[in-house]
Amino acid sequence: MSSTPHDPFYSSPFGPFYRRHTPYMVQPEYRIYEMNKRLQSRTEDSDNLWWDAFATEFFEDDATLTLSFCLEDGPKRYTIGRTLIPRYFSTVFEGGVTDLYYILKHSKESYHNSSITVDCDQCAMVTQHGKPMFTKVCTEGRLILEFTFDDLMRIKTWHFTIRQYRELVPRSILAMHAQDPQVLDQLSKNITRMGLTNFTLNYLRLCVILEPMQELMSRHKTYNLSPRDCLKTCLFQKWQRMVAPPAEPTRQPTTKRRKRKNSTSSTSNSSAGTNANSAGSKKKTPAANLSLSSQVPGLGATPNCSLNPGRDGDLCHSTAVTPSGQFKEKH
């Protein structure tokens, strides 16, 4: 099959400048394809640095990986953080697996503001085992992935719910040991539990203890403290967060507004107000009756001001002293 200009791997005979540009965004399923290829490039000499680089390429710094399945003693659910994800993939190969890849069928994609969610109800994790015997294991379930919506498109959350699994043994191996009952009995036994090896299951159980200790390990690595001092510091900070009262929301100061009385009043109301005013003025202290002109020499007499509106509905004028010693007329 000859390549065409519409093929993303098409190479123009006129040179590299006429090749098709790499798309800015790739499909989420293509990232799983790239991850499968990276897993196939693994060698027996791949160390922790290789697995850290693998996790950095395909997982976010705050990514989480969750596995849900049901064993003989009940349902299990394990969730590990970003620092434990590289070790999880390496334990799969330490359990006798020589090849690992994922197959997604009829997946659904949903786009959000900052993420892309892939929901695949027919996902298969295929592992090829070389020991203790040559076996192909197909682990089927539902895989939900959340990718960041950027150029890297790394995985933020990984949730694989295992429903069933199948262990396939080649017919040629059965024919070779057809006359050996012991070998046939060994071939009839499962080498995994829900498609996971004992190495992986033991590591997941260990992660239940390791995951809460990530804060202690990080503090020990950052500040070079002893384990006991790290524990004391973490417990003290946690106690402070529990004891500290919740921060109260800041309230904006309410500004008091001066209400103006209704100017429209009947003749009877105005006369009643005048009588009440005169009665109230008799009860005032002598200091309140002193005018400003008697206190400050050189100031002309100021009109007696009443807080009640007059017949025209306007307040009378009053005089106030400013901080600079000048007088200002207020309404």
Side-chain angles (χ1 to χ4, degrees), residues 30 131 139 152 205 239 251 320:
Y30 188 76
K131 56 181 182 180
T139 307
L152 295 179
R205 297 190 188 100
W239 175 80
R251 298 180 180 178

Side-chain angles (χ1 to χ4, degrees), residues 20-220:
R20 182 184 178 186
H21 294 285
T22 304
Y24 179 73
M25 295 292 295
V26 296
Q27 295 295 328
E29 289 190 17
Y30 188 76
R31 290 294 290 165
I32 302 300
Y33 169 76
E34 290 180 337
M35 188 178 70
N36 292 336
K37 288 187 62 177
R38 187 71 70 249
L39 290 172
Q40 291 176 1
S41 65
R42 180 202 66 90
T43 61
E44 295 294 336
D45 299 332
S46 298
D47 53 1
N48 294 334
L49 295 178
W50 190 93
W51 287 111
D52 288 339
F54 165 80
T56 303
E57 181 179 358
F58 295 99
F59 290 90
E60 283 288 328
D61 296 337
D62 57 345
T64 58
L65 187 146
T66 303
L67 291 177
S68 303
F69 49 89
C70 188
L71 295 179
E72 296 82 1
D73 54 348
K76 306 293 181 181
R77 180 188 175 97
Y78 297 97
T79 301
I80 59 178
R82 165 64 181 81
T83 55
L84 302 177
I85 290 177
R87 182 63 178 161
Y88 161 76
F89 282 96
S90 65
T91 57
V92 175
F93 291 91
E94 291 175 2
V97 175
T98 58
D99 195 8
L100 166 66
Y101 56 93
Y102 293 86
I103 301 176
L104 276 63
K105 294 182 179 180
H106 309 291
S107 60
K108 299 178 181 179
E109 302 175 1
S110 57
Y111 293 83
H112 308 282
N113 292 333
S114 60
S115 62
I116 305 175
T117 303
V118 177
D119 190 349
C120 182
D121 194 58
Q122 300 181 19
C123 175
M125 180 183 70
V126 182
T127 54
Q128 190 71 52
H129 294 253
K131 56 181 182 180
M133 61 192 69
F134 190 80
T135 309
K136 184 178 182 179
V137 181
C138 298
T139 307
E140 301 173 355
R142 180 182 181 182
L143 179 63
I144 301 177
L145 302 174
E146 182 183 359
F147 293 86
T148 55
F149 200 6
D150 54 10
D151 52 347
L152 295 179
M153 195 176 289
R154 296 190 296 182
I155 300 172
K156 192 173 184 179
T157 58
W158 172 299
H159 190 179
F160 187 34
T161 304
I162 300 175
R163 287 194 295 261
Q164 62 181 356
Y165 74 106
R166 294 174 297 165
E167 296 186 359
L168 309 176
V169 180
R171 288 179 177 270
S172 57
I173 297 181
L174 294 177
M176 290 172 55
H177 304 281
Q179 304 302 326
D180 194 343
Q182 294 182 354
V183 177
L184 291 177
D185 183 64
Q186 185 179 2
L187 291 174
S188 62
K189 295 179 181 179
N190 292 334
I191 63 174
T192 64
R193 299 177 63 187
M194 292 302 294
L196 303 175
T197 62
N198 290 329
F199 278 83
T200 304
L201 288 174
N202 293 334
Y203 177 72
L204 292 175
R205 297 190 188 100
L206 185 62
C207 287
V208 177
I209 304 174
L210 293 177
E211 188 65 31
M213 295 179 63
Q214 291 302 308
E215 186 177 358
L216 296 176
M217 297 178 182
S218 176
R219 190 175 296 275
H220 170 71

